[in-house]
Amino acid sequence: MRTQLPLTSYAKGHLAGTRAAAAPLRLRAEEILSSGGDVVLNFRGVEATQSFIDELIGYLILSQGPSVLERIVFRHCSENLRAIIEYVAADRCDQYLKRPTHH
Amino acid sequence: MAITIILPKYFSATSAGNAVRVCKKILDAEEDITLDASNLVYADPLGITLLGAALHDAFSWNLRVRISGLGEDVGGYLQRMDVFHGVDFVKCEPVKKRRRNRGDSLVELTRVDEVSDVDETAHRLAVAIVGRFPGIDPDEPPDEMSGYTVFDRLVEPIQYSLCELLENALTHARRGSHGSAFVWVAGQYYRSSKIVRLGVTDNGCGFLASLKGHPELRRKRHLDAILTALKPRVSCNRDLGIHDDSVNQGVGLTTVMRIAKHTGGRAVILSGNALHDTDGRSGSTPAGSIWQGVAVALEFRRDQLARTNFRELLPLVEGIPRIPLRFE
Ligand SMILES: Nc1ncnc2c1ncn2[C@@H]1O[C@H](COP(=O)(O)OP(=O)(O)OP(=O)(O)O)[C@@H](O)[C@H]1O
Ligand SMILES: [Mg+2]
């Protein structure tokens, strides 16, 4: 099962900005993931800050491990957004894997 | 009894040390204050936010504040920026210019109290600033490929920067005994130089208190704390604790500084007794003058704003294998 989450309602204008705004979206994503579904994040018409993306997926990588990324789809990302998502994913996977206790 | 505090000629990022010196006098005042503005000729958004934060403190102690000798030009400007709310005017030249309508009043001094207000405020302020750019039509049809207008592209980096700075101020700055810290923001577009200037000032714990336990901060001094905070991946809260529900990446401030630089602009950061200017002038504020909190001045060149490219801006993650991601 894939559940689509549109980002537009988390943005002001075209930008999803604060961690505070990302946290409820992450909770929704966590619910879907814990019931065995995949999450499709639909970014059509939306850009985001690195903090917003980190609160959303950086947090999930640190709490569940890099394999969580296999169950998240990023749809309709602009070039800038793609760069931010790739950066956050790389940095947090690296941090997770370097933790002494990640197993 | 009242004490008289003389405002300097310039209350701005380029003479931030002087602005902090005067604000410290306002913060230390124990009796009513008369601000002598006869020398004042210019204030910018950083100066305005510093003054706004200092006056807020004076009012919270129920001190009366008067201002005298304010010239017409700078006086009219500061009144439109809402800096002197609650201040009594004595011996000031009458201001003839009419107030602007509310439509563009949002670049005025604004205090933000709650994180939940940050997104809305950052968007409104960025739209108000870009709305002043001549020749930009917010209602033009969007680009077919991206779905964005030129207006949207100009708003984004300003809104982005404000979100990061305001959220920092309403989270990190509130640690320890600074739980009730606030943040003030102001902005302006300067038509002749085509520059956007923003000021974001909080009265919280400051960089040093926030990062004092961080291993990267070797010398416990304000300037070292500012420079450490500017390094990518330095944060007071980079890892999830067992019961933690908050985490940071340590990249927000770094990115904001890079956005400003990328447009050909600059940034000035004040905290404690230290001042860092991306144009190279870093060091101490004048003896005895301390800003309890963080104040940031940002400058963006309008012509370069819409070209913000995050792949070039974000810090490098060296030696890390590319993570397969599912883009559709
Ligand atoms: N206004 C502030 N007051 C006090 N400390 C601050 C303030 N802004 C930033 N800091 C300190 O500087 C550090 C770096 O800030 P930066 O925005 O780069 O990263 P972050 O906020 O920790 O992470 P992210 O921006 O990715 O959420 C913060 O972790 C905090 O210790
Ligand atoms: Mg931050």
Side-chain angles (χ1 to χ4, degrees), chain A residues 58 61-62 65-66 69 86-100 102, chain B residues 233 238 249 316-323:
Chain A
I61 296 167
L62 289 182
L69 292 170
E86 285 173 2
Y87 173 74
V88 168
D91 178 39
R92 290 309 201 177
C93 287
D94 178 58
Q95 184 181 356
Y96 182 89
L97 295 170
K98 283 183 180 152
R99 266 194 205 150
H102 76 261
Chain B
R233 309 215 267 177
R238 212 177 115 83
Q249 205 180 3
L316 290 174
V317 269
E318 282 156 10
I320 299 174
R322 236 182 129 88
I323 311 294

Side-chain angles (χ1 to χ4, degrees), chain A residues 18 51 70 74-75 91, chain B residues 119 164 233 249 326 328:
Chain A
T18 57
S51 291
E70 292 161 20
F74 302 94
R75 185 170 281 175
D91 178 39
Chain B
D119 287 283
E164 294 286 8
R233 309 215 267 177
Q249 205 180 3
R326 297 169 68 188
E328 282 183 356

Side-chain angles (χ1 to χ4, degrees), chain A residues 19 51, chain B residues 164 167-168 172 248 250-253:
Chain A
R19 287 180 177 274
S51 291
Chain B
E164 294 286 8
E167 193 169 35
N168 275 355
H172 305 311
N248 294 84
V251 185
L253 187 63

Side-chain angles (χ1 to χ4, degrees), chain B residues 252-287:
Chain B
L253 187 63
T254 318
T255 308
V256 169
M257 303 293 276
R258 288 183 182 183
I259 294 174
K261 273 240 139 199
H262 203 64
T263 71
R266 64 196 265 252
V268 173
I269 301 185
L270 279 164
S271 187
N273 67 352
L275 185 153
H276 172 66
D277 184 335
T278 53
D279 273 4
R281 203 171 38 93
S282 295
S284 302
T285 51

